[in-house]
Amino acid sequence: MTSIESSNHKKAKALKPGSVRPAKELCSECGLCDTYYIHYVKEACAFITQKIDQLETTTHNRPRNLEDENELYFGVHQEMMSARKLQPIEGAQWTGIVSSIAIEMLNRGLVEGVVCVQNTKEDRFQPMPIIARTTEEILAAKVNKPTLSPNLSVLEQIEESGMKRLLVIGVGCQIQALRAIEKKLGLEKLYVLGTPCVDNVTRAGLQKFLETTSRSPATVVSYEFMQDFRVHFKHEDGSEETVPFFGLKTNILKDIFAPSCMSCFDYVNSLADIVVGYMGAPFPWQWILVRNDTGQEMLELVKDQLETQPVMFQGDRKPAVQQGIEAYDKAVTLPMWVAKLMGVVIDKIGPKGLEYGRFSIDSHFARNYLYVKRNHPEKLEAHLPEFARRIVGQYNLPE
Ligand code: FAD
Ligand code: SF4
Ligand code: SF4
C-alpha cells in the first residue's frame, strides 16, 4: 500500500451516531462506519458485499472443503476439541477461555492491545468497546454483552496509537469487515479470536426478551441458549433460572432479533484464527475450533490451563430441524408443561456435541434463508454463501 492510498481513508468522515448506515436496516452496528474506514464500506460491510468464501481463502490459505461435513458446517479448521478451564474465571460467560487467551497474549508481549467490549457504568448490557492494555481491562470485558456491539469503532485509535501487534475479539460480522480492511490498518500482526454468534438484538430488543422470558429481568447478569435445550439465566444473587426453548413465546419474540442477524450466515465466525464457543461440545463444556497456525499459536498459550476432550456427536438432528422450521413459521408457542416435558425428552434422546451444533446451524440458516428470501429477495443470490445454500438445501422449506 502506498502512503497516498493509506492516507486516503483518513479523509473520509465517520457517520454520526444514530444516522442511517450504508447497509440501512441490515446494519449490525459493527462499528466500521463510526470510523474513517467507512471509506471501504462497500467492499467491507458483511451486508453490502458478502464475501466469506473469498476471505476464507486469503485468511486461511485455502478454501473451506465443502465435501467434508465438518468443514461445510464449521468452516476451515485444523483442530477441534471440547475444553474448559481447570480454574474458571468467575463471572465469565462460560469458563473464561476467551479472556484467558487474551491475557496471556498481552502479558507475554505477543500483542500491545486487545480490542474487546466492556459495558457502560449505567447498564451492564450496554456495550462499550475498548482497546485493553492491561489484564484488568481484559477481565472487565468478560461475559457477553448480548446486543449489537460496535467493536470496530475503536479502529481509528489503533492507527493513532502506532500499535503494531493487535488482538481483536469479535463476532462474525465484525470480523468480516475487519478482515476486508486488515491490510489498511498498518499492523505487523493481527490476531483474531472469535466467538460464534446468532440471534443478536438491539438493547431494546434485549429488554423485551428479558421481560418476556425471565422471572426477574432486572437481576439477570448473563444468559445463554445452552446445549440442553434450555435458556439458562444467571441472576445477581448467584441463582440460576432455566426456561425450555420450546416454552419461549415465539409469537412475541419473533420480531426482536435484529434484521442483520436474521440475514446472517456466519454463525461460526469463519474468518477468525481461533473460535471459542460451546455449541459443538456436550453440555457443560466449551468448544474450540482452531482454524490456522496463528490460532494454534494462541491456543498453545493456555493449553496448560485447560482440561480437554475430543469432540463427539450423538443423535439425529434432521427430524427436529424440519419440525422446528414449520413450528417457527407458524409462531407456535407450547404450554409450559408440554415445553418442559419436550425439553426433558429431547435432552435425553436429542442431538449432542457436533450434532447439536449442526442442529443449531440448520435451524438458524433455514430461518434466515426464508427471512432474506421474503424481505430482501433481490439480495438472496449474492448474500447466501455456497456452504449455506447446501445446508438449507437439505430441508423442505415453506414459500
Ligand atoms: P469470556 O472470557 O467471558 O469473554 C467474553 C468475550 O466476549 C469478551 O472478551 C468480550 O469482549 C466479548 N464480547 C462480549 N459481548 C460481545 C459482543 N456483543 N460482540 C462481540 N464481542 C463480545 N457460542 C456458541 O457456541 N453458540 C452461540 O449461539 C453463541 N451465541 C453468541 C451470541 C453472542 C451475542 C455472543 C457475544 C457470543 C455467543 N456465543 C455463542 C459465544 C459464547 O456465548 C461465549 O462468548 C464463548 O463461549 C466464550 O466464553 P468465555 O467464558 O470463554 O468468554
Ligand atoms: Fe457500516 Fe458495519 Fe453497519 Fe455495515 S454493518 S453499514 S460496515 S456499521
Ligand atoms: Fe453479527 Fe451475525 Fe452476530 Fe448478528 S448474528 S451480531 S450479524 S455475527
Side-chain angles (χ1 to χ4, degrees):
M1 185 176 45
T2 67
S3 55
I4 297 177
E5 270 174 300
S6 72
S7 61
N8 257 349
H9 57 251
K10 293 190 180 169
K11 293 187 201 133
K13 274 233 155 27
L15 290 179
K16 295 211 171 71
S19 59
V20 178
R21 313 273 128 164
K24 304 202 175 72
E25 67 146 356
L26 290 184
C27 172
S28 69
E29 294 168 30
C30 77
L32 188 87
C33 296
D34 303 331
T35 71
Y36 48 55
Y37 293 102
I38 189 179
H39 183 71
Y40 304 108
V41 68
K42 276 199 190 136
E43 311 99 75
C45 176
F47 304 94
I48 298 176
T49 315
Q50 181 285 121
K51 50 180 183 185
I52 298 173
D53 300 347
Q54 186 190 325
L55 287 169
E56 268 182 331
T57 306
T58 46
T59 305
H60 308 307
N61 291 322
R62 69 173 177 88
R64 187 185 292 228
N65 178 359
L66 299 178
E67 306 310 322
D68 173 321
E69 196 186 30
N70 281 343
E71 289 234 342
L72 175 72
Y73 273 83
F74 309 128
V76 175
H77 61 276
Q78 53 192 47
E79 200 181 359
M80 242 197 303
M81 69 192 71
S82 301
R84 57 188 176 197
K85 282 208 70 194
L86 292 162
Q87 290 182 315
I89 296 179
E90 206 178 317
Q93 183 70 15
W94 283 73
T95 66
I97 296 176
V98 167
S99 300
S100 302
I101 293 175
I103 290 169
E104 286 303 318
M105 292 186 72
L106 192 70
N107 289 344
R108 296 195 199 194
L110 269 78
V111 293
E112 296 151 280
V114 177
V115 174
C116 52
V117 49
Q118 298 179 347
N119 57 286
T120 61
K121 275 203 191 73
E122 305 75 40
D123 180 355
R124 64 165 70 101
F125 290 131
Q126 186 67 48
M128 188 176 76
I130 60 146
I131 305 175
R133 292 160 196 255
T134 64
T135 300
E136 292 68 35
E137 286 171 346
I138 294 171
L139 283 174
K142 71 186 174 199
V143 79
N144 291 0
K145 273 46 83 178
T147 52
L148 299 178
S149 173
N151 282 26
L152 302 186
S153 62
V154 296
L155 286 186
E156 282 184 22
Q157 295 171 35
I158 291 157
E159 217 172 347
E160 280 157 18
S161 70
M163 234 176 234
K164 292 289 172 211
R165 304 179 69 83
L166 184 75
L167 168 66
V168 176
I169 300 173
V171 297
C173 57
Q174 300 158 358
I175 302 309
Q176 182 180 316
L178 177 73
R179 286 296 191 196
I181 60 147
E182 177 175 351
K183 298 274 181 294
K184 321 284 182 190
L185 294 171
L187 294 170
E188 274 162 22
K189 179 76 182 170
L190 171 69
Y191 292 86
V192 180
L193 169 48
T195 67
C197 180
V198 79
D199 288 349
N200 215 343
V201 289
T202 59
R203 184 63 187 86
L206 173 63
Q207 202 55 35
K208 187 167 174 187
F209 169 71
L210 294 174
E211 281 166 15
T212 319
T213 314
S214 170
R215 62 170 154 78
S216 170
T219 59
V220 172
V221 289
S222 68
Y223 70 87
E224 193 80 84
F225 285 70
M226 288 205 191
Q227 304 101 315
D228 60 353
F229 294 86
R230 293 179 181 85
V231 190
H232 291 231
F233 293 98
K234 278 191 205 148
H235 289 277
E236 279 167 354
D237 63 0
S239 66
E240 191 168 294
E241 173 190 9
T242 62
V243 178
F245 291 179
F246 307 101
L248 295 178
K249 300 191 177 69
T250 318
N251 52 342
I252 303 174
L253 296 177
K254 234 182 155 181
D255 300 328
I256 66 162
F257 303 123
S260 52
C261 309
M262 295 290 287
S263 320
C264 174
F265 296 96
D266 196 17
Y267 193 170
V268 293
N269 213 325
S270 317
L271 304 171
D273 297 312
I274 182 170
V275 176
V276 180
Y278 63 88
M279 69 184 187
F283 179 75
W285 290 73
Q286 286 188 261
W287 175 55
I288 300 182
L289 270 164
V290 177
R291 298 208 181 283
N292 56 34
D293 291 346
T294 300
Q296 196 70 50
E297 183 191 349
M298 294 158 78
L299 178 62
E300 293 307 321
L301 300 172
V302 297
K303 264 229 164 129
D304 61 349
Q305 301 178 28
L306 301 180
E307 181 185 1
T308 63
Q309 64 174 29
V311 284
M312 51 73 77
F313 64 91
Q314 192 183 305
D316 176 9
R317 72 193 180 281
K318 286 192 176 162
V321 174
Q322 187 66 52
Q323 280 164 20
I325 293 169
E326 285 148 30
Y328 181 86
D329 218 44
K330 294 186 190 124
V332 176
T333 301
L334 297 174
M336 192 47 88
W337 70 270
V338 181
K340 285 198 170 139
L341 193 64
M342 273 190 71
V344 172
V345 173
I346 200 148
D347 189 29
K348 291 262 175 313
I349 60 161
K352 289 203 169 51
L354 296 179
E355 189 68 358
Y356 177 87
R358 288 187 280 258
F359 163 82
S360 196
I361 290 172
D362 285 349
S363 307
H364 287 97
F365 279 15
R367 182 199 67 185
N368 289 9
Y369 171 86
L370 289 174
Y371 179 85
V372 179
K373 188 172 165 208
R374 290 168 181 170
N375 296 282
H376 301 277
E378 74 296 346
K379 282 189 86 78
L380 186 64
E381 181 63 25
H383 190 66
L384 197 69
E386 178 56 24
F387 62 82
R389 191 182 314 279
R390 293 197 188 189
I391 288 171
V392 296
Q394 302 171 102
Y395 295 96
N396 291 325
L397 300 180
E399 269 312 301

